[in-house]
Amino acid sequence: LMSNTGKYRDSAPNLPAAGKTQAVRADTAAACFSTVERPPTPDEIRRFRKTSTGQPGKIIQHWGSEPDPPPRPADFTFGVVGEKGYGVGDLQGSHVEPTTIQAYQNVRAEAIYDSSKKEPLGRGYSRNYSFPDEVNQDGFRFGLSATGDSEPAATVVFPPDAPSLNTAPEHLAQYKKSHGAYEPGEQKKRDYTWNKIKGGIDPGTFAFGGTAEIDYKNGVAKALNTELEYDSKTKPTEFMPKSVAEFRSVRADELGKVRNLGLGDHRLSSQHTYGMPSKRFNDWGAKECLTGNYTEDEQQPDPDLGKSLRRGCAPEAVLSSDRIFGVPCIRQDIRPPKLPSVADCKNYGNEPGAKALLYPQSFAERGVYEDDFLATHPKAELADIVVSSGVCAPEEFEPLYALAASLAGTAPDAPLSVDAIRRAMYAATLKA
């Protein structure tokens, strides 16, 4: 390396040096971690490389036709532009519950179909038959009553003496051999030669396996608890040398007890637990952090809520009273303006809440709300609104207005709402 020049003597100056000579300070740690930017691929060579054909967002094209001009403009699209019609949401309906005016419009739209007239919802199919008067009497039934000697339907459909049920025994044996069609509860027979085993056995009564010579029961329980071996359920006293007993108490493992490690008797109770509990105080866990575990006193508001804490800025009588300073966020204490302004940022309590923002009303985007349907208007103004919106024809307004006034219980010329006209149209449709 160039950094070692002059430090060592070349013992073979006639031989050329091996390796590559680098510049001074090229073997430092910083030089090892630094990278040299590779030169870019020329444009005339890039289309021949595989790394340029699979780039994201780029159409794979043969390298021979890449420099050719495109056959179509970049904004070219296949097909014919269709007319703007109803979207999928309009055809399938909305998840929001329809309003009363929408329900009425749906009834009016369905009333033109013949199926709605002959098969109304919740009623039977009407064929406009003219039945005699006795048909409408209670207890009338079509058909003839069955006589006493008539057979039930089950016997007629499945007669017990049908020829197909009388199967010969040889046919049943064939089905058992070919399909394994044994009767319910019938023992499966494989035609074994039982008479050649131990002089012949009966498979219906013979029990396979061996029997124990000694009637020994509860073997597993006795293996776990050796005291069950005795009739008194207690192991009798056994005399042995003390050294043998101490050795057995140290080396043997007793079921359900801690092994004796020879550390002596600490005189502790059997319920003693070593170590320190992980919960030493009434600390909150994950459940309390999610649901909260505040006491009733902790849930009370602060005593100085809504009161000034600065002494001296007002008389003490004012600070010690129940007076609340400031103005509320919702200004229900003042009357809202008749003509709202965009520059007015006050909330007078008449703005929609979170539900109206998540589930807006059907005509909210057009500036029409449910209150507008319930607002009353004079007869002339109401006729202009109803006829102009296409709810009814001009010649239908007078009868509807009279019917709406009678349903609402008002005077014939009293102001009514659009909702009252809608209810009158619904009542007229039911009468029709």
Side-chain angles (χ1 to χ4, degrees), residues 83-91:
E83 297 181 359
K84 181 64 176 179
Y86 292 100
V88 178
D90 299 332
L91 298 177

Side-chain angles (χ1 to χ4, degrees), residues 188-217:
K188 189 174 182 180
K189 299 180 180 179
R190 298 180 176 87
D191 296 334
Y192 292 157
T193 55
W194 300 106
N195 53 356
K196 296 182 180 180
I197 303 176
K198 295 182 180 180
I201 61 175
D202 185 8
T205 59
F206 183 79
F208 293 90
T211 58
E213 298 179 358
I214 303 176
D215 188 10
Y216 190 79
K217 300 180 180 180

Side-chain angles (χ1 to χ4, degrees), residues 211-288:
T211 58
E213 298 179 358
I214 303 176
D215 188 10
Y216 190 79
K217 300 180 180 180
N218 301 327
V220 178
K222 293 177 181 179
L224 297 176
N225 188 3
T226 57
E227 295 183 355
L228 298 179
E229 291 281 358
Y230 310 98
D231 297 336
S232 61
K233 307 302 180 184
T234 304
K235 186 178 182 180
T237 304
E238 182 181 359
F239 294 95
M240 64 179 64
K242 181 180 179 182
S243 58
V244 176
E246 292 177 351
F247 177 80
R248 180 178 297 180
S249 64
V250 175
R251 301 296 300 179
D253 296 331
E254 298 184 24
L255 184 64
K257 296 182 181 180
V258 181
R259 184 175 181 180
N260 186 6
L261 301 179
L263 301 178
D265 186 9
H266 295 276
R267 298 181 180 179
L268 298 177
S269 62
S270 58
Q271 305 296 331
H272 179 75
T273 304
Y274 291 91
M276 297 179 62
S278 58
K279 186 177 181 181
R280 301 180 60 184
F281 305 99
N282 190 16
D283 298 335
W284 278 29
K287 178 182 178 181
E288 288 78 4

Side-chain angles (χ1 to χ4, degrees), residues 65-78:
S65 60
E66 184 176 356
D68 299 340
R72 304 178 186 88
D75 55 349
F76 177 81
T77 54
F78 292 91

Side-chain angles (χ1 to χ4, degrees), residues 284-294 299:
W284 278 29
K287 178 182 178 181
E288 288 78 4
C289 293
L290 295 175
T291 61
N293 191 16
Y294 297 99
Q299 298 179 22

Side-chain angles (χ1 to χ4, degrees), residues 13-315:
N14 298 328
L15 298 177
K20 183 179 179 181
T21 304
Q22 299 181 355
V24 181
R25 302 182 60 83
D27 55 346
T28 60
C32 295
F33 284 99
S34 61
T35 58
V36 180
E37 184 179 359
R38 300 176 59 183
T41 305
D43 296 337
E44 61 274 8
I45 304 178
R46 183 182 293 108
R47 59 192 178 97
F48 297 102
R49 304 190 63 175
K50 294 183 179 180
T51 55
S52 62
T53 58
Q55 296 181 1
K58 185 178 179 181
I59 301 176
I60 300 177
Q61 192 175 5
H62 190 265
W63 54 268
S65 60
E66 184 176 356
D68 299 340
R72 304 178 186 88
D75 55 349
F76 177 81
T77 54
F78 292 91
V80 181
V81 179
E83 297 181 359
K84 181 64 176 179
Y86 292 100
V88 178
D90 299 332
L91 298 177
Q92 293 184 350
S94 177
H95 66 282
V96 184
E97 184 178 357
T99 59
T100 52
I101 190 67
Q102 289 179 340
Y104 169 72
Q105 291 177 353
N106 187 25
V107 172
R108 293 281 295 178
E110 294 290 338
I112 63 175
Y113 297 104
D114 190 45
S115 60
S116 299
K117 298 177 182 178
K118 293 184 177 181
E119 299 182 60
L121 186 62
R123 301 180 186 177
Y125 185 83
S126 177
R127 295 180 174 84
N128 298 326
Y129 292 159
S130 57
F131 294 102
D133 296 337
E134 58 268 15
V135 176
N136 299 325
Q137 296 179 2
D138 296 339
F140 177 79
R141 297 292 184 273
F142 291 93
L144 299 176
S145 59
T147 59
D149 56 349
S150 61
E151 297 183 3
T155 307
V156 175
V157 177
F158 301 102
D161 54 350
S164 59
L165 300 178
N166 299 328
T167 308
E170 57 270 13
H171 296 164
L172 295 177
Q174 290 179 0
Y175 275 103
K176 291 179 182 178
K177 185 175 182 180
S178 60
H179 296 79
Y182 290 90
E183 296 295 333
E186 183 182 1
Q187 184 182 13
K188 189 174 182 180
K189 299 180 180 179
R190 298 180 176 87
D191 296 334
Y192 292 157
T193 55
W194 300 106
N195 53 356
K196 296 182 180 180
I197 303 176
K198 295 182 180 180
I201 61 175
D202 185 8
T205 59
F206 183 79
F208 293 90
T211 58
E213 298 179 358
I214 303 176
D215 188 10
Y216 190 79
K217 300 180 180 180
N218 301 327
V220 178
K222 293 177 181 179
L224 297 176
N225 188 3
T226 57
E227 295 183 355
L228 298 179
E229 291 281 358
Y230 310 98
D231 297 336
S232 61
K233 307 302 180 184
T234 304
K235 186 178 182 180
T237 304
E238 182 181 359
F239 294 95
M240 64 179 64
K242 181 180 179 182
S243 58
V244 176
E246 292 177 351
F247 177 80
R248 180 178 297 180
S249 64
V250 175
R251 301 296 300 179
D253 296 331
E254 298 184 24
L255 184 64
K257 296 182 181 180
V258 181
R259 184 175 181 180
N260 186 6
L261 301 179
L263 301 178
D265 186 9
H266 295 276
R267 298 181 180 179
L268 298 177
S269 62
S270 58
Q271 305 296 331
H272 179 75
T273 304
Y274 291 91
M276 297 179 62
S278 58
K279 186 177 181 181
R280 301 180 60 184
F281 305 99
N282 190 16
D283 298 335
W284 278 29
K287 178 182 178 181
E288 288 78 4
C289 293
L290 295 175
T291 61
N293 191 16
Y294 297 99
T295 61
E296 185 176 357
D297 296 338
E298 293 176 347
Q299 298 179 22
Q300 299 298 325
D302 296 337
D304 54 356
L305 182 63
K307 298 181 180 180
S308 177
L309 300 179
R310 295 182 58 187
R311 301 298 177 181
C313 60

